[in-house]
Each structure stands twice: as structure tokens, then as C-alpha cells.
Amino acid sequence: MLACTHPFSMVILFAATELAPYAKTGGLADVLASLPSALGSRGHQVRICLPFYRRAIRKLRSLQSMGIELEVVLGRTKHVAHLWRGQTSDSPPLLLIEKDEFFDRSYLYGPPGRDYADNASRFFFFSKAVVQIAQRLSPRPDVLHLHDWHTGLAAVIARRECPQIKTVFTIHNIAYQGKFPAADFELTNLPWEYFTPEGIEFYGQINCLKAGIVFSNRVTTVSPRHAQEIQSPGGGHGLEGVLQAHRQKLVGILNGADYRRWNPATDRKIPASFDAGHLKGKEICKEVLCRELGFPSHTDPLFLFLGRLVEQKGVELLLQATPYLLSWGSQIAVLGTGTPKWEKALEELSRQNPDRLHLQFRFSERLAHRFLAGADFLLMPSAFEPCGLTQMYALRYGTLPIAHATGGLADTIQDAIEPFETGTGFLFSPYELPAFLSACQRALRVYQDPSTLVGLRKRAMGKIFSWDEAALQYEAIYQDP
Ligand code: ADP
């Protein structure tokens, strides 16, 4: 990270519901673990507001009550919450909102495939508390940087109560919009004039993502290509019209990768280290992984799927492609959690091919590192992908991605085609099985030629997606009047 002090130092308050590795379901957590500290290194005064997830936050280095009480009204009920200060080893200070009734639970948003029934209360509460903190913090923030639908209502309240604080709203995943019935509007304590098509109403419901888009000063999403896609029919998951109307404040900024955590040369979670000049370690990682997973061979190609087992990630294409890949002599490892229906379908396939298809339905940071280090190819057939971090990590570990040419995948992977003298992975389009299989076949042709494989791996490992670069772009947005 750059260690310069910025001449126009700003006070920036982040608000989000995830932070890696403490509370994580996806890429949002990784962004929160990196962007605030990249901005802090540039001389800005940064704080991160998070729910106090008692079970996760126990792991923090230091935790201190701030002696501050927040009074948050939801409808007719007044809730009292306490504010704690926490410190990780490498992030700016955390401001943790303690309300066990809402946040001391087994899951962040709900059990697999379900939402908690009181998510409106939970995240309206969080949004309201965040704005109170912004108003009470000294020095007062110049910028309130909100992330995803959980904080959408904060944009509305900040616009009403402290318009001098600039709000920036980042969309990490447009498919999750925080939609609630009109009856929950009472919990916002806003006048009904906000429940209109110009406000936070969308087809008769409250739409929190829309609230963030409409009421923030600037809106960002996590790759330039995705910023275009979400304005086009279907790409905005219904909100394309809203985004077109607000396009003058929308920009796409590519996420970085955190190479303090994701670097095969220094990674302590993997059995052998390696870099682009010394690839022996990668072979060892593969051998160990194949042994641990019970695969018969460590010379056959090893494909990995790592991610949430949900429609967006292309699980259906994965299921359709699996019998072909196996019949071509490949082995496949899957590490993911998600919808029970996809887990069942994968289990069925695995029963037919027990020694070549390995499944782990759990969330494990350690396994994610070991699987990425040991695999040859990463399968990422996402229907859409705002940015995608897993492919960035895969590139760094010399694990060549095979991905749908969409969003951040298209912005970060250079397609390799015969004679494979350029490129860092394999892109496919249209979003159909034959195109996906044909990209897999290209990958297998590369696998059969070791020197071509090494060339591609080295190019992939040389790709750097820098948080410093992203921080510079966010800084420009924060300063833009
Ligand atoms: P999304 O945010 O849509 O889930 P990203 O690719 O942006 O997708 O980020 C996913 C992050 O979550 C990556 O850091 C990935 O390694 C991690 N991840 C996903 N599933 C698992 C799992 N089962 N175990 C460990 N890490 C996981």
C-alpha cells in the first residue's frame, strides 16, 4: 500500500454488513477488508461501521466500549444500542453497533437459501444507527460510503438529516435488492411521500437498493463493464431504468485483490509456496490436494468450482458440463455453500463418480486457499458477475480461469486462443453449454502442452489488480463536488 499522506485528507465513514475474515459471505467482505485500509494509507481518516456480530467479533484484537448509546426508533418501538470500538491488525478502526436481538445470530442474513423474517427491522435499524454515528462522530465525516442494499435506507436518512455529508453508494450485487412489503414502510418513520416511484417504492414494495441509488450523491459498482451492463435490459435486474435515470452519477471501479492475503509466495495456508519463477510449489500443492481429496491421479487435469452455489454462479451449467469433463479424464473439486437444491443435484452426480468429483459444502477460508493453489483451472460460469474476486485470486495462484465473458470477469481475464501466445484464461459467450464446453476443451489442449501451460500460468500470475489504483479512483469520486 502507498504510504503517502494526501494533501486533501478526508474523513470517510464506511458502513457495511461484512468484513473479511470475521463476517463474510462473499466479495463484499473482501472489499471492506482492503479498500478502507488502502484509503487510510493515503492519509485519509477512515472508520468502518459494522453490526456487532458477537460470535465473529470475539476474534478481534481489541474491543472497547465507547460509552455511547444510540437510540433508534423503528415504527413505534425505541431500540437502544451501544457502540464499541474494535481493531483488526490491518484495517482502520471499527465502530461496532451492538444489538444482540438483531445481530447475535448463526447467520448474517438467514439460514442457507432463506432470509430472516425480520431483515427489514435489522437493516433499517443498522441504516438509522449509521446515520446517527455519522452525525455524532468527531471530526464529522466528509463522506459516508454505503455498501449494498443493507445500507440503502441510510442514504435517504442522510439526505434528510445531514445533507452536508456526501454519500457514495456501492452496488456489489444488484440481484439482492432488499425488497420488503409496503407494510414495513412504517418502520422507516419516513413521510409517505418517500413511498413513491420517485422515492423508495418499486412495484408496490420498498426497494432498499433503489433507495441507495436514488438518494446518494454518487453511485458506483465494482467493474466498468458491469456499470454498463446494469443499465441495459435485464442487466439491472429490474432497476435498469432507475440506473439510466441516474447514470450521470454512476461509475464502475474495478476491485483490487488483497495480495497480503492472497499471495502463493507467502501464503501459510498452502503446503508449498511458489511464484511465477518457481512453479514446483504449485505441483506440490496439487499433489497434496489430490491426496487429501482422494483423487486417483495427480497428473490428470484438476478443475475447481469455488463460490456460492446459487443460480448467479452458473451452477446449472456446471452440472451440465460435469459429465463431459469427467468423460474427458478430468477431476473436479467443488467448494461452496448455497441452495440445498444445487447441493442435492451435485451429490447425485458425485454418487455416480465418487472418485473424480469431490464436494465440500462448507465455507472455509483455509480450504479456499488450498484448493486454489492446487487446482489447474477455475470454473466460473457465472450468469453475471459484478466484479468477481475468486478469478483474481486464481490468476495469482496460476490457476487459469474458465469464465463467462461478463462484468468483471471480462474486465480481468484476457482470453487465450490458439496458438495461446497471449491471454490469461478462457472466456466464453454466449451463455450456453456448447460455448462453455468449448472453452474447457481449449483449456484441456493447453494442459496437454506443458510449455504452453507454463507460459499462460506465468502471464496469469503477473496480473496485478491493485487496491491502490481503486483507492485513487474512489478518492476522485469523494472529492468530486
Ligand atoms: P460473490 O461476492 O458474488 O460471492 P466474489 O468472487 O466476488 O463472489 O467473492 C467471493 C469470495 O468468497 C471470494 O473471496 C471466495 O474465495 C470466497 N468464497 C466463496 N465461497 C467460499 C467457500 N465455500 N469457502 C471459502 N471461501 C469462499
Side-chain angles (χ1 to χ4, degrees):
M1 301 274 169
L2 292 182
C4 70
T5 300
H6 198 276
F8 309 106
S9 166
M10 285 178 283
V11 180
I12 305 161
L13 182 63
F14 275 73
T17 52
E18 299 195 19
L19 172 70
Y22 306 97
K24 169 164 168 171
T25 68
L28 170 65
D30 295 22
V31 174
L32 265 288
S34 304
L35 176 60
S37 50
L39 287 160
S41 306
R42 295 188 55 76
H44 301 296
Q45 199 175 321
V46 186
R47 302 277 179 277
I48 307 173
C49 261
L50 277 176
F52 188 115
Y53 299 117
R54 192 169 290 282
R55 298 164 200 207
I57 272 159
R58 249 190 255 125
K59 297 178 222 148
L60 282 177
R61 248 192 357 187
S62 79
L63 206 51
Q64 229 182 318
S65 166
M66 293 177 73
I68 293 178
E69 212 168 68
L70 305 169
E71 280 188 4
V72 176
V73 180
L74 290 180
R76 292 192 198 147
T77 312
K78 185 158 79 182
H79 294 269
V80 176
H82 292 95
L83 199 56
W84 291 73
R85 189 188 157 97
Q87 190 66 57
T88 70
S89 55
D90 52 9
S91 277
L94 310 180
L95 303 176
L96 303 159
I97 302 168
E98 183 196 23
K99 184 74 186 158
D100 285 351
E101 176 191 343
F102 289 147
F103 301 124
D104 185 18
R105 301 204 182 167
S106 305
Y107 302 95
L108 300 190
Y109 312 119
R114 288 196 2 240
D115 293 323
Y116 286 127
D118 60 348
N119 273 352
S121 298
R122 297 175 74 220
F123 297 112
F124 290 178
F125 168 84
F126 181 63
S127 294
K128 290 182 177 199
V130 161
V131 179
Q132 269 193 40
I133 293 169
Q135 288 172 294
R136 289 169 67 171
L137 208 61
S138 175
R140 178 178 280 209
D142 300 298
V143 177
L144 175 57
H145 191 159
L146 305 167
H147 297 265
D148 269 351
W149 74 261
H150 321 94
T151 60
L153 189 68
V156 188
I157 298 169
R159 169 75 65 93
R160 274 169 67 80
E161 295 183 5
C162 45
Q164 69 282 19
I165 300 177
K166 181 167 188 172
T167 46
V168 176
F169 185 71
T170 298
I171 303 169
H172 297 263
N173 197 327
I174 194 142
Y176 300 91
Q177 299 183 359
K179 296 180 195 168
F180 299 104
D184 285 335
F185 188 74
E186 187 207 355
L187 298 172
T188 67
N189 300 88
L190 288 168
W192 276 95
E193 71 218 40
Y194 281 84
F195 194 71
T196 60
E198 293 71 43
I200 69 176
E201 184 266 352
F202 196 64
Y203 289 96
Q205 291 186 301
I206 300 168
N207 186 311
C208 294
L209 202 78
K210 183 187 174 199
I213 295 166
V214 172
F215 289 92
S216 295
N217 297 101
R218 293 299 302 261
V219 178
T220 74
T221 188
V222 286
S223 70
R225 174 129 166 187
H226 194 59
Q228 295 307 316
E229 288 170 350
I230 57 179
Q231 296 178 59
S232 60
H237 290 252
L239 289 177
E240 44 270 27
V242 176
L243 285 156
Q244 274 162 25
H246 291 269
R247 66 180 174 279
Q248 75 290 350
K249 59 184 188 187
L250 172 66
V251 63
I253 300 177
L254 192 67
N255 283 338
D258 188 340
Y259 297 114
R260 295 171 302 182
R261 292 186 175 84
W262 296 96
N263 179 355
T266 54
D267 190 337
R268 298 229 193 100
K269 296 187 175 77
I270 63 177
S273 48
F274 57 97
D275 58 36
H278 308 86
L279 281 166
K280 183 74 196 148
K282 181 152 179 79
E283 282 172 38
I284 297 171
C285 288
K286 181 173 177 187
E287 272 176 48
V288 172
L289 183 63
C290 287
R291 204 167 47 238
E292 285 176 355
L293 303 189
F295 284 138
S297 147
H298 64 261
T299 50
D300 289 346
L302 175 53
F303 289 79
L304 167 65
F305 177 93
L306 165 57
R308 292 179 294 118
L309 294 167
V310 295
E311 223 135 280
Q312 179 206 333
K313 298 291 175 183
V315 187
E316 198 158 5
L317 273 192
L318 172 73
L319 282 163
Q320 290 167 359
T322 294
Y324 292 92
L325 288 172
L326 296 176
S327 74
W328 297 334
S330 308
Q331 307 173 113
I332 305 176
V334 174
L335 174 60
T337 53
T339 321
K341 113 171 163 182
W342 296 123
E343 293 187 2
K344 279 206 194 76
L346 281 163
E347 264 166 358
E348 183 52 42
L349 270 177
S350 160
R351 260 193 292 280
Q352 294 158 20
N353 306 277
D355 57 349
R356 293 207 155 240
L357 174 57
H358 180 93
L359 308 174
Q360 293 259 353
F361 298 139
R362 58 180 169 138
F363 197 97
S364 161
E365 197 77 18
R366 180 172 172 273
L367 289 184
H369 285 247
R370 294 170 79 86
F371 278 46
L372 271 173
D376 296 303
F377 302 106
L378 175 77
L379 297 167
M380 216 157 158
S382 307
F384 71 96
E385 194 60 75
C387 177
L389 291 168
T390 313
Q391 86 281 7
M392 292 187 188
Y393 306 147
L395 287 165
R396 189 74 175 132
Y397 283 69
T399 302
L400 305 176
I402 302 168
H404 179 210
T406 180
L409 296 173
D411 281 345
T412 54
I413 299 165
Q414 276 86 46
D415 196 21
I417 46 172
E418 270 94 353
F420 303 118
E421 280 158 8
T422 57
T424 56
F426 309 92
L427 291 172
F428 70 91
S429 180
Y431 190 65
E432 286 163 7
L433 183 65
F436 182 33
L437 288 177
S438 146
C440 293
Q441 283 173 323
R442 263 192 289 146
L444 288 171
R445 285 200 289 282
V446 165
Y447 189 82
Q448 276 147 19
D449 178 355
S451 69
T452 306
L453 179 63
V454 167
L456 245 109
R457 278 197 174 141
K458 287 188 171 179
R459 279 199 297 280
M461 294 176 80
K463 280 276 152 202
I464 298 294
F465 302 99
S466 142
W467 270 117
D468 291 326
E469 179 53 39
L472 264 172
Q473 294 182 49
Y474 279 106
E475 209 173 78
I477 294 213
Y478 298 156
Q479 282 166 350
D480 202 18

